[in-house]
Amino acid sequence: MTELTFWRTEVWHPLTVHFPIALLLFGTLAKLVALFLSSSSSSFYKKMGSVLLYFGCLGAWISIYTGDMADGIVSRKICDPTVLKDHEIAAYNLAYLFSAATLIDLAVLLNFLKVKLKLISALVVLLMVIGSGFLVYAGHLGAEVVYNQAGGVVIPSSDCAGF
Amino acid sequence: MLLISLMYACQEGTDVVESGTYQGTIKEVEPEKTEIYVETTDGKVLELYFNENTTLTRNGETAPFEELEEGGNVEVEVEKVGQRLEPIAVRIL
């Protein structure tokens, strides 16, 4: 049996995608917690939420790039590529929402926005919460592609020849 | 809810059709994936990934993938495998 290389094109997506999932969900949680704390004690959670958001947003776009690389291979093999298309649409939606949140958050940080800061902070959290909804949905569809359709998975022969 | 609806409205999904021959217009070409999106005359969007068995012809002669361009008219013969569309033949019109 020919030795399969682990570093196949479609493997880069699962290698990269789990970082932004964790970063963005925890970032949203931190920003939400900050909303309900007094201004003196919310500072830590606000900053933590912002840092997680920036890195998570960057990771989301990297994951979209690696997902696009995997798409050309996985779509040709799975039985229902429409699930993969919905996964892609949800991924783009969450990336746009978190990018908008990042830009607004950075604008506040760099003092480009100085008015109605509470309202702007609430808007950032709202975008992150909706983005998290898309993130969970995209994750669910990604799991469907892998666990229901074996997308990107090499299935060994029934006699496990080669192992 | 409005924002979510708006976002979904901006991004178009693809359709699955029964095996057969369809005519339409190329919406998008992705050369690096040898993939095309075809909008059929009845408004369905087919996402087609070429495989080693797909034939591409123009006037009966084999044509290279580079001859496919957005806005061009094509006739596609597809086979539905599960919910996946396998392009058997693509004819440039």
Side-chain angles (χ1 to χ4, degrees):
Chain A
M1 182 181 166
T2 315
E3 183 90 10
L4 278 165
T5 171
F6 175 78
W7 301 106
R8 309 189 305 276
T9 308
E10 62 271 32
V11 167
W12 288 101
H13 186 57
L15 279 173
T16 53
V17 80
H18 297 97
F19 292 104
I21 291 174
L23 293 171
L24 293 172
L25 288 179
F26 278 110
T28 304
L29 197 62
K31 288 275 191 186
L32 267 175
V33 168
L35 268 189
F36 296 102
L37 294 176
S38 62
S39 59
S40 57
S41 50
S42 68
S43 172
F44 169 76
Y45 287 99
K46 271 186 186 169
K47 283 178 189 165
M48 184 172 82
S50 294
V51 172
L52 291 170
L53 171 64
Y54 305 155
F55 283 103
C57 188
L58 177 68
W61 285 108
I62 291 170
S63 298
I64 282 180
Y65 178 75
T66 58
D68 193 50
M69 282 162 57
D71 172 65
I73 295 158
V74 174
S75 285
R76 287 181 160 86
K77 296 176 183 168
I78 60 175
C79 295
D80 188 358
T82 60
V83 178
L84 197 58
K85 180 52 84 181
D86 290 341
H87 172 64
E88 182 187 334
I89 290 171
Y92 270 107
N93 285 343
L94 78 88
Y96 291 138
L97 286 163
F98 280 110
S99 296
T102 301
L103 289 175
I104 296 169
D105 202 70
L106 275 172
V108 172
L109 182 78
L110 300 172
N111 284 327
F112 291 137
L113 292 173
K114 291 174 184 171
V115 288
K116 295 180 179 171
L117 284 179
K118 279 212 161 185
L119 194 69
I120 290 168
S121 296
L123 175 66
V124 168
V125 176
L126 180 67
L127 288 170
M128 290 176 77
V129 168
I130 300 172
S132 294
F134 278 110
L135 181 57
V136 170
Y137 183 54
H140 162 71
L141 293 174
E144 254 194 47
V145 168
V146 175
Y147 296 110
N148 285 355
Q149 301 192 53
V153 175
V154 175
I155 302 170
S157 58
S158 56
D159 63 353
C160 294
F163 287 89
Chain B
M1 291 303 283
L2 183 71
L3 181 65
I4 295 169
S5 311
L6 191 69
M7 294 190 84
Y8 267 107
C10 293
Q11 288 170 319
E12 207 174 357
T14 53
D15 299 291
V16 181
V17 294
E18 294 303 318
S19 300
T21 303
Y22 299 86
Q23 286 196 358
T25 308
I26 299 176
K27 278 191 82 180
E28 193 180 334
V29 182
E30 295 212 25
E32 63 282 0
K33 294 186 197 170
T34 54
E35 176 196 8
I36 57 170
Y37 291 82
V38 176
E39 184 166 6
T40 62
T41 46
D42 57 351
K44 299 239 166 70
V45 178
L46 314 182
E47 186 176 19
L48 303 173
Y49 291 89
F50 282 43
N51 58 42
E52 62 276 11
N53 300 319
T54 307
T55 60
L56 175 61
T57 55
R58 184 197 286 269
N59 300 324
E61 303 277 317
T62 302
F65 188 84
E66 291 70 33
E67 287 202 19
L68 293 169
E69 52 191 33
E70 285 176 27
N73 292 323
V74 286
E75 183 179 77
V76 295
E77 190 182 338
V78 296
E79 186 185 0
K80 186 181 166 199
V81 182
Q83 294 296 306
R84 186 178 72 233
L85 293 177
E86 296 275 0
I88 298 165
V90 178
R91 290 179 276 274
I92 303 170
L93 301 176

